[in-house]
Amino acid sequence: MSQTQTPEQAPTVVVYHKRRNVELFMLVLACAVGIGAYWITSMNLLGESPANLPYVAGVWLGLALLCHIVVRWRLPYADPLILPCVFFLNGLGLVMIHRLDLATRYADEPANDAVTQLMWTVLAVGVLIFGIFVVRDYRPLQRFTYTLALLGIGLLLLPLVPGIGRTINGSSIWIGVGPFSFQPSEVAKIALAIAFSSYLVEKRDVLAMAGARILGIDLPRPRDLGPILIVWGVAMAILVFQRDLGTSLLFFGLFVMMIYVATERPGWAVLGLLMFAGGGFLGYSIFGHVRTRVQAWLDPFADPEANYQVIQGLFGFAWGGMTGTGLGLGQPWRTPLAKSDYIMASIGEELGVAGLMAVIMVYAILVARALRTALASREPFGKLLAAGLGFVWALQVFAIVGGVTKLLPLTGLTTPFMSQGGSSLLANWTVAGLLLIISHQVRRPVITGPALVDNESTQVINRPRGVR
């Protein structure tokens, strides 16, 4: 039999451009924004250029170039916009923490949290580079479904263990080891995103089966409700016992959104929304601390002393207006936890609504690139994992921005890459690393057609125009 293939049968190669030079240009631009903001802050507050500007600029550009070189070498087809967006957000967060440090320069013990945050950033970059070398292919992670699920749930509930759990600012979401504290939910979100992806790949055909039809929506079958009930129960335990609406919303929302992506059944999303709303109403009716959060959301001025943080954040937005007071020219330090929970309010005051929207758009680009990777993925595990990691960022930003602008009740979630805290930085840089790995696998040249050719030996046959 002849082995000659007709043009229609011949395998085609869909090739994405590597775009590493685009990444390098955008990285330099992102670093320039951060370095420029650092200089402007010092000029506005101190009236002089910072003496350590060359060293700070060298360290920041050096970190960016190191990441770029590693990605260019190990992941040449990775998405070109993820790293620049991460460096932009991380750099702006460092500048704002430094600006708030300067507000304490006349105190007996001036704060130096920006240096600590920079050290955590260096460590987080090291974790990203280590992960790129060790986990070049994400697909073997699919084998650890139930191990990672138990690990994730265990980490979420770990702060409830007597002796190591710590209550900070009313929420029991921290564990303490000596003088150090750690937020295990930041690691749990990664483990659970992987576990949910693997589980839904195995069970999506069963979960996609329709049950009763109500108002034109096919609801799931009652026999398939076990997983969502377990996740809902854990989420309610977090809300009730750890007093943390943010982690509860993130955990349950991640599962519901991923099961919707896996099954394409809107009934799951509707059911999840109703379950969380019902659980929240039950918590409001029974537990005082839940009721306090909701009342602070509905009318913070009813108790100005108890809701001082919420009120000061709103005043900060009002003072900033559309264009902001300017870096170093506002008073964001008047708001409690301005470096962590309320760093977006600090951004809104000094950069204005316009600056805040620009930051949110950078987050939107990150989420969009994650979802683009999910859409381009050729296998279900990568599709669900990329979508899940993108949802993690989207839910966090939605919850924290909604909380500081009084769209939602205030949550204890951190703002990815910007809020003060080492556990948040390490976790979010790890998420960025996983997305770089997945996008590299997705964008590599692949033969489609009757022939089976190893990816490493693929030659370019066709390079479609417009494919990025």
Side-chain angles (χ1 to χ4, degrees), residues 268-332:
W268 283 107
V270 173
L271 179 64
L273 182 62
L274 292 175
M275 290 176 68
F276 192 81
F281 179 76
L282 185 64
Y284 175 82
S285 303
I286 298 176
F287 300 102
H289 63 271
V290 177
R291 193 157 46 247
T292 300
R293 283 290 181 97
V294 175
Q295 289 171 348
W297 166 50
L298 294 175
D299 186 10
F301 292 95
D303 189 352
E305 184 176 352
N307 302 324
Y308 178 77
Q309 182 186 38
V310 178
I311 294 171
Q312 283 300 120
L314 294 175
F315 277 134
F317 281 117
W319 290 327
M322 183 60 66
T323 57
T325 60
L327 284 170
L329 300 178
Q331 298 179 353

Side-chain angles (χ1 to χ4, degrees), residues 361-383:
M361 286 305 300
V362 175
Y363 281 115
I365 292 171
L366 269 179
V367 175
R369 301 310 290 189
L371 297 181
R372 183 187 181 94
T373 299
L375 288 171
S377 178
R378 294 171 291 272
E379 51 90 24
F381 178 64
K383 187 180 294 292

